[in-house]
Amino acid sequence: MLKDVNNNIRHVIYPLLEVLSLEVGHKQPVAMRINFNKPLSLEDVTEVHGENTGGRNTDKSSFYVYKVLDFYTTFLDNSRLHINVIDNIRKRSRANPRGKIKQKIKLKRRIIISLSFDKTLYQLSPDYNGTSSSIVKTSISDNSIKMRTMIKQTAGDSVAELPMVELLKTIKSFYQYLTIEAQAT
Amino acid sequence: MSQCEAKRGLFTLYDCTKEANRTCAECGRTVCNEHMSISQSTCYECQAKSTAEIDDPHLHAYRLRQVMMTKHKGQSIHFGTALSEYYDLYDISSFDIKLAKITDMADSPDELFFDS
């Protein structure tokens, strides 16, 4: 039986690969781990509170961690991009006195973007004092400058689409904190 | 044949190292097959500037780059030589660094990739 693919694959992952192909070398591999499981599956459950034991106390909260996407590639300038998308879902259910069960699902999505720049090419801008943007965390090692940030997305259900344009804008914003030592032409 | 005059890149721009084998009817630049659709007479970069509706998934990437380079905050970087007037609208600073000096395309950091 044919099954439809997740909308995130059709509307985000495929266009994202198309767009990033401009920045990724012809021979450069892209590593990607997509979770095709349905959200709210038993294997994603991390915590359950208030297990229904009968009687009047019928509130139950289940917490799920759904790892949507893990994406890794290297750009033409040797910068290494890592995107990690994790959904934290809370499902609350409650039975009213007549036995009708109502449930609410709340989704909090965290998109963690980190980009490691080649230190032989880029330096941190002198204007960057580490607090220019409280959301961008920077760490410097011997051969790389790593920038990391998180986009939070809240939606009513677990099929919310990833914000592709915001994701690309965030990656581009990392470059404004960098300078190049070579003489500008 | 000359080198393709279009640029690669999304957050940064690079010279395309491929050989040009076609000429764009709009800008007159010589470009390679990667930068011009077989069914069109204009290059992807010219198509991205126009508002005409063309059904080509590859064009979406160039349209997005056009917006990122002209409207989004933060200057982009060009590595390479001869950034022509064609890119005047782009908010970009140019550095005379050849791609070959800064990256080795075959040298991928395999150990950082996933096992599968």
Side-chain angles (χ1 to χ4, degrees):
Chain A
M1 195 176 99
L2 289 173
K3 281 189 178 177
D4 193 14
V5 295
N6 187 307
N7 272 353
N8 271 319
I9 295 172
R10 187 185 293 112
H11 296 143
V12 182
I13 308 292
Y14 179 72
L16 183 70
L17 286 173
E18 192 76 56
V19 169
L20 286 180
S21 71
L22 296 177
E23 189 68 39
V24 177
H26 293 290
K27 293 176 185 172
Q28 205 63 260
V30 169
M32 193 161 50
R33 190 178 283 152
I34 308 170
N35 193 347
F36 283 105
N37 292 336
K38 272 192 171 178
L40 306 175
S41 64
L42 281 175
E43 61 202 68
D44 298 327
V45 174
T46 54
E47 270 182 76
V48 179
H49 293 308
E51 191 74 59
N52 186 3
T53 51
R56 295 281 296 171
N57 186 14
T58 55
D59 285 8
K60 184 182 166 187
S61 293
S62 305
F63 296 85
Y64 302 79
V65 174
Y66 179 62
K67 292 173 183 170
V68 183
L69 172 73
D70 214 359
F71 181 92
Y72 185 90
T73 193
T74 305
F75 289 162
L76 285 162
D77 61 356
N78 266 353
S79 304
R80 297 188 299 275
L81 172 72
H82 186 197
I83 302 170
N84 195 5
V85 183
I86 300 168
D87 282 355
N88 288 89
I89 305 166
R90 185 180 74 180
K91 187 170 90 173
R92 292 174 71 187
S93 61
R94 182 176 197 174
N96 68 16
R98 292 179 301 283
K100 188 177 179 183
I101 296 170
K102 288 191 170 182
Q103 66 176 31
K104 276 186 179 175
I105 294 169
K106 193 172 184 181
L107 166 85
K108 282 187 180 174
R109 175 170 286 161
R110 289 179 296 149
I111 304 166
I112 301 154
I113 305 160
S114 77
L115 194 54
S116 296
F117 296 95
D118 191 342
K119 212 176 162 187
T120 57
L121 182 65
Y122 296 105
Q123 289 85 42
L124 268 180
S125 164
D127 305 334
Y128 180 74
N129 57 12
T131 54
S132 301
S133 168
S134 57
I135 54 161
V136 177
K137 306 272 181 263
T138 309
S139 58
I140 302 171
S141 68
D142 287 345
N143 47 17
S144 69
I145 301 166
K146 187 174 181 181
M147 291 193 181
R148 188 170 179 271
T149 192
M150 184 164 73
I151 300 172
K152 286 181 182 172
Q153 190 185 13
T154 310
D157 59 39
S158 54
V159 291
E161 278 190 15
L162 292 162
M164 191 181 75
V165 175
E166 193 180 347
L167 206 144
L168 294 173
K169 276 166 72 176
T170 304
I171 297 169
K172 194 194 168 190
S173 73
F174 288 157
Y175 282 87
Q176 67 181 303
Y177 304 122
L178 301 169
T179 55
I180 297 172
E181 227 165 51
Q183 194 69 45
T185 53
Chain B
M1 271 288 181
S2 58
Q3 191 176 305
C4 174
E5 291 178 68
K7 302 289 176 194
R8 303 200 71 231
L10 176 66
F11 309 109
T12 48
L13 284 190
Y14 305 88
D15 295 335
C16 178
T17 50
K18 289 190 174 176
E19 261 191 11
N21 49 12
R22 303 181 67 190
T23 305
C24 173
E26 178 95 21
C27 62
R29 298 179 307 160
T30 50
V31 292
C32 66
N33 282 336
E34 191 194 327
H35 287 106
M36 194 161 156
S37 166
I38 299 164
S39 59
Q40 301 286 330
S41 58
T42 54
C43 64
Y44 279 123
E45 291 179 345
C46 284
Q47 288 175 34
K49 285 180 179 176
S50 77
T51 52
E53 283 203 15
I54 301 163
D55 187 24
D56 186 338
H58 207 51
L59 181 59
H60 175 67
Y62 284 91
R63 287 216 159 124
L64 204 56
R65 182 176 88 175
Q66 176 78 14
V67 174
M68 301 253 307
M69 291 283 182
T70 54
K71 290 181 182 163
H72 288 177
K73 194 184 159 194
Q75 206 172 39
S76 297
I77 297 161
H78 169 246
F79 295 107
T81 52
L83 188 66
S84 65
E85 289 172 4
Y86 186 81
Y87 299 98
D88 276 355
L89 283 176
Y90 285 12
D91 183 16
I92 199 161
S93 59
S94 184
F95 293 88
D96 189 3
I97 302 172
K98 283 186 180 165
L99 184 63
K101 284 185 186 170
I102 59 168
T103 185
D104 181 2
M105 312 275 267
D107 183 23
S108 61
D110 289 335
E111 73 277 6
L112 294 169
F113 276 73
F114 309 130
D115 296 330
S116 57

